[in-house]
Amino acid sequence: MVTMAPHRSLRLLLASAIASGIAATSLTAGHPAQADEGDKAVLTVAVSQSVDSLSPFLAQRLVSTSIHRLTYEYLTNYDVKDARPIPGLATAWKASPDKLTWTYTIRTNSTWSDGKKATAEDAAWTFNKMMTDDNAATANGSYTANFEKVTAPDPRTLVIKLKKPQATMTALDVPIVPKHIWETVGDFSKFNNDKQFPIVGNGPFIITDYRVDQYVRLKPNKTFWRGAPKFDELVLRYYKDGDAAVAALRKGEVSFVPNLTPAQAASLKSAEDIKVNDAPGRRFYALATNPGARSKDGKKFGNGHPALLDPAVRKALFLAVDRKTIVDKVFQGHAVEGEGYIPPRFASYFWKPQGAQKLAHDPARAERMLDEAGYRKNSGGKRVGKDGRPLDFRILCHATDPNDKAVGKYLQEWWGKLGIGLKVECLDNVSDPWLKGDYDLAFDGWSVNPDPDYVLSIHTCAALPATPKDTGATDNFICDKRYDELYAKQAVEYDPAKRAQLVKQLQSRLYDTGYMNVMAYPNAVEAYRTDHIRSITTMPQAAGNLWGQDGYWSWWSAQPAASGDDQDSGSSAGLLIGAGSAAALLLAAGIAFAVRRRSTADDRE
């Protein structure tokens, strides 16, 4: 979903209730979350996005999926150097000759934080639950939609039988949960996993406490098979205002701040004990158009402006958008002009329009297109449709994102010259009107995974909600037959080069429909205190990001500044599995390789 996600009891173990000395009151308003509270090294990360759910079956926002990467193992992980699949809960995998049966070997040294062994049965239960309960498939159902049968013949063996080949079998971005805990849950659509702590997991961290729009607290999992994190506690602390987060970083109240504005980054570059990281990002920043909200049962809902159902209107709007100005003036060079749906960081899938297909900045052409389509200006200079209704649109804007507000002002100016009105509606919560289809346009954005299947799937007809009252996995209600045909083809194509071409065709089709206008690929601009963090791993290791990684490398690898470990202090120090050791591990395992998700800056996955 867009910059939002579905907002959705379980007997979780209360165990030693905040056993590691974590007091629920230690992060109340006004309490400085410093790098070292007494003898405890605390890593505090400022976040600007609300958690949509702590249930892995519902969560779609980047902050939530990042937390789940820290607390649950996936079958596979991504190599920190080049994002190739590497072992996670599975140590090895192989496909049958017809590619319809995949067998995963589950590691023997992964333990749930309540002491029970993690087994293939946990993975089989997770996938089967998603296959049989639509509510459990809310966040990641696209991964299991093609599964025919999932079994665990023994604790170390997971077998997945497919209806047809599936190209994502080494990139199933699904958190595996403990069966013995989750099988007691009733309604998966309402269970947010946020009432009892600590939460049982098997990742490098354990969630110990959570307060809505305040913080999430995590402690190291001392039994994590790859080794425990070095900080004594990780805190994700919510800041609605970005300047307040930067001020907290300057004062040492937080250790790390992501999603910096250009002005904030510039002001921090000369600050003592603060390092700014500016790297190519994995996100796109776009305008999404309401194509007419509808559900799978054929019901239409919402109040989107009908003129936006006309391709001529959508394309005219996009012709009036000056991407270069957005990159230069709004992002001040900390971004690349947007073109296709997949950012250039993922080179094999990157696509851009060529020749006559490209909707370059051309206001004069936009004027002509609107005139020819019958949307002429009246005596007052307003564009009106054939029904006499003026072209006055609304755009959903995230109140916490200064980029939305800045771009909104430019759009008002550019579209105003066309005779089109625009109301910029900046809200703390854009999810509710978005899910209801009560919008015309919206600022949109997703972080793209190394395998792009997930962000492609959210524009398929299958992602629509079942009924207007339900929540689907859709981004903005797009349902296009040609797009669906291309998506189905890439999903079963195992040849990397052929699949990449199909993914590019998908982007071309999405571009031509005019429902998504990718304006920019923002850099990951972030900063951390070097007197809190001695070393930390970026992904990719060469010029990569720290927040929102495809894995848990940054926070798992982070070394406290007071650490006595003799390790290099570079940005990629402290990672136990680098290029060499990862390759050695993969060779030893005999692995064959085959070549997810939302909202503004920090809002989606």
Side-chain angles (χ1 to χ4, degrees):
M1 264 315 315
V2 138
T3 208
M4 77 248 173
H7 291 284
R8 312 282 175 211
S9 260
L10 164 70
R11 288 184 350 241
L12 290 181
L13 299 177
L14 281 172
S16 47
I18 323 284
S20 55
I22 302 170
T25 57
S26 65
L27 195 61
T28 53
H31 180 87
Q34 298 177 353
D36 193 351
E37 296 179 358
D39 294 330
K40 192 165 63 173
V42 179
L43 173 55
T44 305
V45 176
V47 296
S48 60
Q49 180 187 36
S50 299
V51 170
D52 54 343
S53 179
L54 288 181
S55 165
F57 298 97
L58 301 178
Q60 294 180 357
R61 293 182 180 175
L62 179 59
V63 66
S64 309
T65 57
S66 295
I67 291 169
H68 291 140
R69 282 204 174 275
L70 296 174
T71 54
Y72 298 100
E73 277 278 57
Y74 297 29
L75 286 182
T76 60
N77 205 331
Y78 296 100
D79 184 270
V80 73
K81 181 181 179 182
D82 55 15
R84 292 179 304 164
I86 62 171
L89 182 60
T91 60
W93 47 90
K94 62 182 179 180
S96 60
D98 62 4
K99 301 294 196 298
L100 292 178
T101 301
W102 286 73
T103 303
Y104 300 81
T105 301
I106 303 301
R107 66 175 59 256
T108 58
N109 59 342
S110 179
T111 304
W112 297 111
S113 53
D114 62 0
K116 295 183 180 294
K117 278 281 188 182
T119 70
E121 188 175 3
D122 295 304
W125 185 89
T126 299
F127 291 130
N128 276 302
K129 189 64 181 178
M130 294 168 62
M131 294 162 60
T132 57
D133 185 334
D134 288 342
N135 293 321
T138 298
N140 300 306
S142 62
Y143 290 113
T144 59
N146 181 45
F147 288 12
E148 180 177 300
K149 186 178 181 181
V150 182
T151 58
D154 61 68
R156 290 203 65 203
T157 306
L158 176 72
V159 180
I160 300 177
K161 292 186 177 181
L162 305 172
K163 300 172 186 175
K164 55 188 177 182
Q166 181 168 323
T168 61
M169 297 307 289
T170 57
L172 295 173
D173 290 326
V174 176
I176 304 302
V177 302
K179 174 186 175 182
H180 65 283
I181 297 294
W182 283 83
E183 64 184 352
T184 64
V185 175
D187 188 345
F188 273 68
S189 70
K190 298 178 180 178
F191 181 72
N192 279 307
N193 197 27
D194 59 1
K195 302 303 180 188
Q196 293 182 309
F197 302 93
I199 294 174
V200 176
N202 63 340
F205 289 91
I206 300 165
I207 302 172
T208 59
D209 196 12
Y210 165 63
R211 294 292 181 273
V212 176
D213 288 347
Q214 294 185 49
Y215 60 82
V216 181
R217 304 179 76 101
L218 306 96
K219 68 178 182 181
N221 180 359
K222 298 297 185 182
T223 64
F224 183 54
W225 67 269
R226 202 186 291 275
K230 302 300 186 294
F231 275 86
D232 297 314
E233 186 178 16
L234 173 64
V235 178
L236 275 61
R237 185 174 181 182
Y238 176 77
Y239 285 86
K240 180 178 178 180
D241 181 75
D243 288 333
V246 170
L249 181 74
R250 288 182 179 276
K251 291 186 288 186
E253 294 176 355
V254 301
S255 313
F256 173 88
V257 176
N259 305 320
L260 297 175
T261 66
Q264 290 167 345
S267 72
L268 290 172
K269 281 192 174 178
S270 59
E272 186 177 0
D273 295 326
I274 292 177
K275 180 173 181 177
V276 175
N277 184 46
D278 188 350
R282 52 184 284 244
R283 296 191 62 258
F284 63 79
Y285 181 74
L287 286 176
T289 305
N290 186 343
R294 53 183 154 164
S295 50
K296 290 178 184 176
D297 62 4
K299 303 271 180 65
K300 295 182 179 180
F301 57 96
N303 58 15
H305 198 298
L308 289 172
L309 300 179
D310 189 336
V313 175
R314 298 194 298 269
K315 292 182 180 181
L317 292 178
F318 297 167
L319 283 166
V321 173
D322 186 349
R323 292 171 176 79
K324 186 176 187 304
T325 292
I326 290 174
V327 169
D328 292 344
K329 300 298 185 181
V330 177
F331 291 97
Q332 296 184 26
H334 299 276
V336 177
E337 285 186 45
E339 295 178 292
Y341 193 63
I342 308 297
R345 170 165 163 174
F346 304 102
S348 60
Y349 297 115
F350 179 63
W351 170 88
K352 57 183 179 180
Q354 301 289 344
Q357 183 184 21
K358 186 170 183 177
L359 297 175
H361 182 228
D362 191 341
R365 183 184 170 195
E367 292 266 12
R368 293 193 303 271
M369 186 174 290
L370 289 169
D371 288 339
E372 293 168 1
Y375 300 91
R376 297 189 174 274
K377 290 182 179 179
N378 61 20
S379 58
K382 287 287 297 183
R383 292 274 174 185
V384 295
K386 299 167 187 176
D387 58 359
R389 180 175 176 177
L391 299 193
D392 286 327
F393 301 132
R394 305 155 297 165
I395 187 167
L396 286 176
C397 156
H398 303 82
T400 58
D401 193 332
N403 294 327
D404 284 9
K405 297 175 184 177
V407 174
K409 291 180 179 179
Y410 278 111
L411 295 179
Q412 287 176 321
E413 175 188 344
W414 295 332
W415 294 349
K417 291 178 180 178
L418 296 178
I420 295 173
L422 181 67
K423 181 180 180 181
V424 181
E425 300 179 335
C426 293
L427 308 173
D428 289 337
N429 174 21
V430 303
S431 297
D432 290 344
W434 201 316
L435 288 169
K436 294 176 182 177
D438 291 343
Y439 69 99
D440 299 325
L441 300 112
F443 290 106
D444 196 3
W446 283 80
S447 293
V448 179
N449 290 349
D451 188 298
D453 182 83
Y454 184 83
V455 292
L456 297 173
S457 74
I458 58 178
H459 295 306
T460 61
C461 300
L464 295 175
T467 72
K469 294 183 179 180
D470 294 312
T471 299
T474 185
D475 183 19
N476 62 320
F477 306 103
I478 294 173
C479 179
D480 177 76
K481 181 179 179 182
R482 177 58 181 157
Y483 183 91
D484 273 23
E485 291 172 349
L486 290 167
Y487 175 80
K489 288 181 179 179
Q490 69 81 32
V492 302
E493 181 55 70
Y494 284 99
D495 182 280
K498 292 179 180 178
R499 184 174 180 230
Q501 287 304 310
L502 288 167
V503 169
K504 291 176 182 179
Q505 291 178 44
L506 265 170
Q507 296 177 76
S508 177
R509 177 60 184 173
L510 189 60
Y511 185 89
D512 287 343
T513 65
Y515 291 126
M516 291 291 293
N517 177 19
V518 177
M519 297 181 290
Y521 308 113
N523 285 6
V525 187
E526 49 201 10
Y528 64 91
R529 293 199 63 94
T530 55
D531 57 346
H532 291 193
I533 303 171
R534 180 185 181 189
S535 64
I536 191 168
T537 300
T538 58
M539 182 179 187
Q541 280 181 301
N545 58 288
L546 294 168
W547 173 247
Q549 292 182 357
D550 299 299
Y552 42 65
W553 309 118
S554 53
W555 314 125
W556 172 75
S557 71
Q559 296 275 347
S563 172
D565 294 351
D566 292 328
Q567 298 198 19
D568 295 335
S569 58
S571 64
S572 62
L575 184 61
L576 301 184
I577 287 195
S581 55
L585 175 59
L586 295 177
L587 286 172
I591 294 169
F593 290 112
V595 151
R596 171 192 113 201
R597 335 142 254 191
R598 65 174 108 192
S599 301
T600 65
D602 190 31
D603 219 12
R604 303 205 191 196
E605 211 236 307

